[in-house]
């Protein structure tokens, strides 16, 4: 018989195939990194050893990973709830700043006890994040203005606003730190080294979000709106209010990331505080695909890459390496996911 | 079964014996997880032949054509072109071999001109050329293949028939010797169908081969030389069209004889007339976004336990009437009465809760979420009530159970309730929508072209379902372009022409001539 292909594409890909595909993708990406390092005259094995020792190999490294994961899980969730219904919130960076700013206001200017101040920070930060996306969200919902552009552009506004506050009215006059406010009066309690309560709360938020959307009428209605707005109208589901609600939720999640970052990890509002977490949230959300719980391992992977970048920097390798490795990994995983859908057909 | 007319390898009678086939399929098989799409399909097509491919929804016609055009790889079997075994790793290989497909849903760029569409993705398109040049080239192509098109027209402004001509022209200009058409007449007006057929006959007389997929038996009888019938993925027969009758084809297609009933007698007494009208329109006028009047001063009332047939040529206000009746559109003037109460805003949820079901004209666009699962799609009308959901909750396990129950009742075999609904065949999607809508239609069911794209077995089942709904006391509105269907089912018949209601008459009063006259815009007195 002539050479006919014996492969077919699955419409539903079982998760174990995805897992295998991803494992191989990560291996392929790491091999390319290793080859590149070797071509630069560095020993990949030595560097790998160094990276492993200083990330998962030490108490300090693991604490660091948890601190990186905290904002990444939440910005990842922020982008993920949007993608789920075909909305792209590219402004998590700006909403993170907005949330951080609101938390800072409480942390600098009130002297409430922690059990009042910390919940207040969470509420204020989430509201601020939602407020930061309100105009793009409403414009998208009722005027069909692309949320991609509007939410992205507000990032720069938020970033400059934080620089202004941190160098101007809220600048630290005590220690004279550059582009930074004073240390906040209260912080999320640390429970394991530098790892603070924010990590647990972020974890709980992601789990709660996944369960909540899967089991709620809101989750179903928004899925319908995202998949086919005309069918939603036909079924009597108002599309515009639900687009608004999803985007506000997205903004609130990113705002929460800002709260934990400023009041748990950094303790001061600084220029550059967001550290690209908003943009990296897009990568985390894409890696997680359709599953909310998959945001957790995706955030862990991203945290590992960030940590690796820092370690590589200490050995005089450009900090842009992080971006290159991230890109490589996303590419490999996208290819791996696609290839995992193809199966050999067994004929008898 | 000894079937004397099954002569798979003989060429059509008008061709000399010994003519070599242009395409031979030998024992083609294609499997999808849980489904045998094609198995042991052997078929040949000769130059100078129009070969019809017939089969129920989901019989494997589209899969087979996707194999022939290189979109799918067969899991077994051989494709032989001009006597040489070949494989098509991708569609471009099939195009290079002279096989061209015209899909049911056109693959044109709506914003481009006809000439631009013809030259898109074509290796023979010169690298640098002006709009004038490509229009001149398009004109030349149009003349060469005898398919009149206007090269400078924007595709989105063309009628379905004109767009189809552009598609055919594009395929022919790539040197196609075998043209495959998937339900080409589904979107055409009768005049356009005639034009298409004469173009296909001309192509045949020049030695071209055509495979045409169609549900319409009379078209097959009129156009084709040979016909092959698929059932459940297997070829059940290939015949000279002269040797078969529509009835024998239907029997072969579904494995048992089916004739569509010409009347659906009631199982119980006709409900009393004084029962409340579930839905009525009073002097309703609707304009579209361009300000054109689509419905003109329409007054109409539905009666429980009665089927109201709406006859009319497509595009005379049918979609707008359905939208007003189901609360999707609010009239510009006039009033809609739902259970005797005036409704003055568009509120489809309220209509649905009041027991108004709606099978829209374009199911995939309007009534389904193609990217979501079968379970989620079937829950669309009842997600807000137990057992699936409540005020805040939604239960996926219950939705899956519900979907399975609907599928069982509709006689649809599912590969699973978690698969995307776009993976199902068009006919199965329609059966599921119909089943879902009939369930919520406790008072009114608006069905727009419910038989469109269904095979004869499914149409028969669909009509039984409408008759059962009527017997249960539902007021059914049936819009159809098929007068036989209207006459078979309706108790009253209304005719829509240019947005106006030309008259409402009982089934007993109506005859074909008067309805036909009204459909063409003449009043009864003029026609008499």
């Amino acid at each position: 018989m002539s050479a006919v292909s014996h492969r077919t594409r699955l419409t539903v890909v079982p998760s174990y195939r995805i897992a295998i595909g991803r494992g191989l993708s990560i291996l392929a990406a790491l091999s390319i990194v290793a080859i590149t390092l070797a071509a630069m005259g560095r020993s990949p094995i030595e560097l790998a050893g160094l990276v492993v020792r200083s990330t998962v190999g030490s108490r300090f490294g693991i604490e660091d990973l948890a601190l990186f994961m905290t904002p990444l899980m939440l910005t990842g969730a922020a982008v993920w709830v949007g993608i789920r219904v075909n909305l792209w919130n590219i402004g998590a960076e700006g909403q993170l700043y907005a949330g951080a700013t609101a938390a800072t206001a409480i942390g600098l200017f009130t002297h409430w006890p922690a059990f009042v101040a910390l919940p207040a920070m969470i509420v204020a930060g989430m509201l601020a994040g939602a407020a930061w996306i309100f105009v793009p969200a409403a414009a998208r919902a009722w005027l069909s203005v692309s949320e991609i552009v509007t939410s992205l552009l507000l990032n720069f506004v938020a970033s400059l606003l934080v620089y202004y506050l941190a160098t101007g009215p809220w600048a630290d006059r005590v220690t004279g730190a550059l582009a930074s406010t004073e240390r906040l009066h209260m912080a999320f309690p640390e429970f394991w080294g530098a790892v603070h309560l924010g990590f647990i709360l972020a974890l709980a938020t992601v789990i709660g979000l996944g369960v909540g959307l899967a089991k709620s009428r809101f989750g179903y209605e928004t899925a319908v709106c995202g998949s086919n707005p005309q069918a939603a109208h036909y079924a009597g589901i108002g599309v515009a209010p639900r687009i608004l609600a999803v985007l506000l939720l997205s903004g609130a999640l990113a705002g929460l990331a800002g709260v934990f970052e400023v009041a748990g990890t950094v303790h001061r509002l600084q220029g550059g505080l967001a550290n690209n977490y908003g943009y990296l949230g897009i990568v985390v959300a894409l890696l997680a695909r359709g599953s909310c719980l998959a945001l957790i391992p995706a955030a862990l992977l991203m945290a590992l890459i960030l940590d690796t970048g820092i370690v590589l920097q200490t050995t005089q390798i450009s900090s842009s390496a992080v971006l290159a490795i991230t890109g490589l990994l996303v590419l490999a995983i996208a290819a791996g996911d696609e290839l995992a859908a193809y199966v050999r057909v067994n004929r008898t | 079964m000894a079937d004397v007319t099954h002569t798979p390898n003989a060429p059509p009678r008008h061709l000399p014996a010994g003519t070599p086939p242009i395409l031979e399929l030998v024992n083609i098989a294609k499997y999808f997880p849980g489904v045998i799409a094609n198995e042991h399909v052997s078929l040949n097509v000769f130059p100078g032949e129009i070969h019809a491919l017939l089969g129920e929804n989901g019989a494997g016609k589209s899969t087979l054509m996707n194999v022939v055009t290189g979109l799918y790889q067969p899991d077994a079997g051989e494709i032989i072109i001009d006597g040489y075994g070949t494989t098509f790793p991708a569609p471009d290989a099939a195009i290079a071999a002279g096989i061209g497909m015209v899909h049911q849903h056109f693959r044109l760029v709506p914003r481009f001109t006809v000439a631009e569409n013809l030259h898109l993705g074509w290796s023979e398109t010169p690298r640098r050329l002006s709009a004038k040049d490509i229009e001149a080239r398009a004109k030349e192509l149009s003349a060469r293949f005898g398919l009149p098109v206007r090269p400078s027209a924007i595709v989105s402004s063309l009628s379905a028939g004109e767009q189809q001509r552009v598609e055919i022209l594009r395929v022919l200009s790539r040197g196609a010797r075998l043209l495959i058409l998937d339900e080409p007449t589904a979107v055409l007006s009768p005049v356009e169908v005639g034009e298409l057929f004469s173009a296909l006959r001309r192509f045949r007389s020049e030695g071209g081969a055509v495979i045409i997929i169609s549900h319409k038996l009379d078209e097959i009888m009129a156009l084709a030389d040979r016909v092959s019938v698929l059932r459940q993925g297997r070829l059940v027969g290939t015949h000279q069209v002269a040797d078969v009758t529509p009835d024998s084809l239907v029997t072969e297609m579904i494995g048992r004889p089916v004739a569509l009933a010409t009347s659906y007698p009631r199982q119980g007494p006709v409900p009393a007339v004084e029962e409340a009208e579930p839905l009525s329109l009073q002097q309703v006028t609707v304009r579209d976004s361009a300000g054109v009047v689509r419905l003109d001063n329409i007054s109409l009332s539905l009666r429980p336990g009665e089927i109201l047939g709406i006859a009319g040529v497509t595009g005379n206000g049918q979609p707008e009437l359905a939208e007003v009746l189901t609360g999707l559109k609010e009239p510009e003037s006039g009033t809609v009465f739902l259970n005797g109460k005036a409704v003055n805003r568009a509120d489809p949820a309220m209509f649905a809760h009041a027991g108004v079901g709606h099978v829209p004209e374009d199911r995939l666009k309007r009534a389904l979420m193609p990217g979501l699962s079968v379970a989620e799609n079937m829950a669309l009308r009842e997600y807000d009530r137990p057992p699936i959901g409540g005020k805040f909750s939604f239960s996926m396990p219950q939705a899956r159970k519900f979907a399975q129950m609907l599928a069982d009742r509709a006689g649809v075999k599912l590969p699973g309730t978690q698969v995307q609904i776009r993976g199902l065949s068009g006919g199965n999607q329609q059966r599921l929508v119909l089943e879902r809508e009939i369930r919520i239609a406790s008072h009114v069911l608006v069905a727009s072209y419910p038989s469109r794209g269904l095979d004869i077995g499914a149409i028969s089942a669909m009509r039984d379902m409408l008759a059962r709904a009527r017997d249960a006391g539902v007021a059914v509105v049936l819009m159809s372009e098929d007068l036989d269907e209207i006459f078979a089912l309706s108790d009253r018949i209304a005719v829509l022409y240019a947005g106006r209601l030309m008259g409402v008459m009982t089934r007993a009063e109506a005859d074909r001539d008067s309805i036909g006259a009204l459909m063409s815009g003449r009043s009864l007195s003029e026609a008499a």
Side-chain angles (χ1 to χ4, degrees):
Chain A
M1 185 179 292
S2 61
V4 290
S5 159
H6 302 311
R7 286 182 191 281
T8 182
R9 195 179 194 293
L10 297 174
T11 37
V12 182
V13 188
S15 45
Y16 77 90
R17 293 190 64 91
I18 293 280
I20 296 171
R22 294 214 159 171
L24 294 176
S25 308
I26 293 172
L27 218 59
L30 288 182
S31 316
I32 294 172
V33 172
I35 291 167
T36 312
L37 287 174
M40 289 164 66
R42 315 294 288 259
S43 158
I45 296 170
E46 210 173 280
L47 285 172
L50 179 65
V51 167
V52 170
R53 273 198 306 282
S54 35
T55 53
V56 290
S58 70
R59 163 84 190 245
F60 181 75
I62 294 176
E63 284 178 21
D64 229 25
L65 282 180
L67 290 182
F68 273 134
M69 272 179 79
T70 306
L72 285 171
M73 280 191 284
L74 289 169
T75 53
V79 180
W80 183 86
V81 290
I83 294 177
R84 185 180 160 274
V85 298
N86 225 350
L87 295 168
W88 291 83
N89 175 14
I90 310 297
E93 190 92 351
Q95 295 133 28
L96 186 149
Y97 275 127
T101 305
T104 304
I106 291 173
L108 285 180
F109 303 112
T110 70
H111 292 276
W112 300 336
F115 71 89
V116 178
L118 294 179
M121 277 181 176
I122 289 177
V123 172
M126 291 181 81
L127 286 177
W132 202 252
I133 201 179
F134 178 78
V135 173
R140 170 66 176 80
W142 279 281
L143 303 174
S144 303
V145 177
S146 166
E147 74 285 3
I148 299 176
V149 178
T150 48
S151 63
L152 170 70
L153 292 181
L154 279 175
N155 288 344
F156 306 106
V157 179
S159 167
L160 290 173
L161 205 62
V162 166
Y163 268 110
Y164 165 72
L165 288 173
T167 53
W170 292 5
D172 181 1
R173 317 256 179 238
V174 182
T175 63
L178 273 172
S180 171
T181 63
E182 278 175 39
R183 199 179 161 87
L184 306 193
H185 299 156
M186 62 285 277
F188 284 92
E190 290 163 358
F191 64 91
W192 193 70
V195 183
H196 53 85
L197 189 62
F199 177 74
I200 301 289
L201 292 177
L203 214 54
T205 305
V206 168
I207 295 169
L209 187 71
V211 174
L213 286 177
K215 298 201 171 207
S216 70
R217 182 168 158 178
F218 177 76
Y220 175 75
E221 287 178 339
T222 50
V224 171
C225 293
S227 180
N228 184 355
Q230 276 206 50
H233 176 60
Y234 159 92
I237 301 171
V239 177
R242 283 169 183 85
I243 288 179
L244 181 72
V246 167
L247 284 176
L248 292 184
L249 173 64
S250 172
L253 288 165
L256 189 59
V259 173
F260 294 150
E261 193 59 14
V262 77
T265 307
V266 181
H267 303 293
R268 294 160 185 268
L269 183 66
Q270 299 174 339
L273 176 94
N275 195 21
N276 284 338
Y277 291 135
Y279 298 112
L280 294 174
I282 302 170
V283 178
V284 171
L286 288 176
L287 290 178
R289 286 165 62 102
S291 156
C292 189
L293 294 185
L295 286 168
I296 297 166
L300 174 62
L301 181 64
M302 199 62 238
L304 268 170
I305 295 174
L306 286 178
D307 239 357
T308 305
I310 293 172
V311 174
L312 290 183
Q313 242 173 304
T314 62
T315 66
Q316 274 78 51
I317 289 169
S318 161
S319 62
S320 319
V322 176
L323 287 177
I325 297 173
T326 309
L328 195 59
L329 201 69
V330 172
L331 187 69
I333 285 181
D337 282 0
E338 189 56 28
L339 291 176
Y342 285 87
V343 288
R344 193 182 287 278
V345 177
N346 293 318
R347 284 175 298 117
T348 46
Chain B
M1 190 172 69
D3 186 347
V4 286
T5 69
H6 176 55
T7 47
N9 296 320
R13 300 222 170 95
H14 68 271
L15 295 178
T19 306
I22 184 170
L23 167 75
E24 270 183 276
L25 301 178
V26 183
N27 279 327
I28 294 289
K30 178 75 195 171
Y31 307 99
F32 294 110
V35 181
I36 297 170
N38 287 133
E39 202 168 60
H40 300 307
V41 177
S42 298
L43 192 73
N44 51 23
V45 181
F46 295 89
E49 171 189 24
I50 296 180
H51 195 116
L53 198 56
L54 191 62
E56 285 192 283
N57 303 121
K61 297 169 303 216
S62 300
T63 306
L64 187 64
M65 290 304 106
N66 285 334
V67 167
V68 172
T69 53
L71 220 50
Y72 291 159
Q73 311 302 313
D75 294 324
E78 272 187 287
I79 301 174
I80 300 169
I81 301 281
D82 297 324
Y84 293 98
T86 24
T87 55
F88 297 140
D92 52 353
I95 292 169
I99 296 176
M101 173 125 188
V102 175
H103 292 270
Q104 198 176 353
H105 302 284
F106 304 138
R107 317 233 158 143
L108 299 171
V109 183
R111 288 183 184 213
F112 281 16
T113 65
V114 169
E116 284 164 345
N117 268 289
L118 286 174
H119 286 84
L120 198 62
W122 187 15
S123 57
E124 285 176 35
T125 303
R127 286 208 173 274
R128 298 171 56 84
L129 79 181
S130 66
K132 232 167 80 191
D133 289 339
I134 62 168
E135 279 171 24
R137 286 171 57 96
K139 198 166 249 166
E140 190 194 322
L141 287 172
S142 165
R144 171 148 42 114
F145 293 107
L147 290 163
V149 293
R150 286 174 289 140
S152 60
I154 301 289
V155 160
S156 60
S157 71
L158 300 181
S159 75
E162 289 173 304
Q163 294 193 22
Q164 189 179 58
R165 275 208 293 276
V166 178
E167 277 271 13
I168 296 176
L169 197 53
R170 184 166 71 171
V171 169
L172 292 183
S173 62
R174 269 66 168 169
R177 297 174 298 140
L178 170 60
L179 189 58
I180 302 173
L181 300 124
D182 188 0
E183 296 197 34
T185 60
V187 291
L188 301 186
S189 69
V191 178
E192 289 173 328
V193 170
E195 288 168 1
L196 171 69
F197 283 7
S198 56
L200 293 180
R201 289 195 182 102
R202 191 163 51 241
F203 181 61
R204 171 178 63 182
S205 68
E206 288 158 6
V210 177
I211 297 178
I212 181 168
I213 298 176
S214 179
H215 285 313
K216 298 182 182 162
L217 295 172
D218 48 343
E219 287 177 4
I220 290 176
M221 301 304 291
L223 182 70
D225 302 305
R226 291 193 305 153
V227 53
S228 290
V229 181
L230 286 177
R231 186 167 78 221
Q232 290 168 359
R234 292 173 178 82
L235 186 79
V236 287
T238 296
H239 315 278
Q240 308 281 344
V241 163
D243 297 344
V244 292
T245 62
D247 288 347
S248 71
L249 286 177
V250 168
T251 308
E252 190 164 67
M253 203 164 94
I254 58 183
R256 65 191 146 85
V258 163
L260 287 175
T262 51
S263 72
Y264 291 82
R266 287 170 202 284
Q267 303 303 312
V270 186
V273 182
E274 47 278 349
E275 255 185 76
E277 291 166 355
L279 192 56
S280 63
L281 305 181
Q282 213 169 62
Q283 297 179 320
V284 163
T285 296
V286 168
R287 284 173 201 273
D288 63 15
S289 52
V292 179
V293 174
R294 306 300 303 192
L295 286 183
D296 191 358
N297 199 21
I298 290 208
S299 297
L300 188 66
S301 58
L302 309 186
R303 297 181 195 149
E306 181 193 83
I307 296 180
L308 173 66
I310 309 273
V313 178
T314 314
N316 276 288
Q318 289 93 334
E320 288 80 9
L321 181 60
E323 284 174 15
V324 167
L325 286 173
T326 53
L328 285 167
K329 201 174 209 126
E330 120 191 30
E332 190 186 67
S333 64
T335 321
V336 181
F337 291 93
L338 180 62
N339 290 323
K341 268 189 294 195
V343 182
N344 45 18
R345 66 199 160 90
D347 187 350
M350 188 175 87
F351 278 69
H353 281 130
V356 179
H358 182 196
V359 180
E361 190 176 341
D362 191 339
R363 277 139 277 233
L364 255 194
K365 253 194 201 154
R366 254 270 148 79
L368 294 173
M369 295 76 73
L372 296 189
S373 68
V374 174
E376 284 161 303
N377 272 283
M378 290 304 99
L380 187 62
R381 288 301 202 176
E382 297 183 45
Y383 72 88
D384 56 353
R385 61 197 80 160
I388 301 173
K391 200 157 172 49
F392 299 106
S393 63
F394 177 83
S395 158
M396 186 54 98
Q398 289 295 339
R400 296 184 61 174
K401 239 160 95 184
F402 179 74
Q404 190 60 54
M405 187 264 291
L406 282 189
D408 289 345
R409 281 185 20 184
V412 172
K413 266 182 252 144
L414 290 178
T417 51
Q418 292 293 77
V419 299
Q420 289 186 341
I421 199 144
R422 67 155 68 106
L424 303 186
S425 74
N428 282 343
Q429 290 169 355
Q430 290 181 33
R431 285 190 225 202
L432 288 173
V433 169
L434 192 64
E435 195 69 48
R436 183 185 79 193
E437 295 305 311
I438 281 187
R439 245 186 81 87
I440 64 149
S442 54
H443 289 93
V444 177
L445 178 64
V446 178
S448 301
Y449 308 103
S451 51
R452 215 177 248 185
L454 290 182
D455 59 72
I456 190 159
I459 290 175
S460 167
M462 180 276 294
R463 290 191 188 175
D464 285 336
M465 281 163 84
L466 292 185
R468 274 204 305 277
R470 173 202 64 193
D471 291 343
V474 176
V476 178
V477 178
L478 169 67
M479 298 194 193
S480 177
E481 59 227 319
D482 179 358
L483 273 185
D484 290 332
E485 186 160 277
I486 297 255
F487 274 94
L489 281 161
S490 308
D491 298 297
R492 285 189 301 154
I493 300 173
V495 180
L496 209 53
Y497 173 76
R500 276 172 301 153
L501 211 50
M502 300 297 288
V504 184
M505 57 193 87
T506 63
R507 167 74 181 81
E509 291 164 7
D511 62 78
R512 268 161 196 284
D513 292 342
S514 52
I515 297 283
L518 291 173
M519 278 169 66
S520 58
R522 284 173 292 159
S523 66
L524 277 183
S525 52
E526 282 173 64

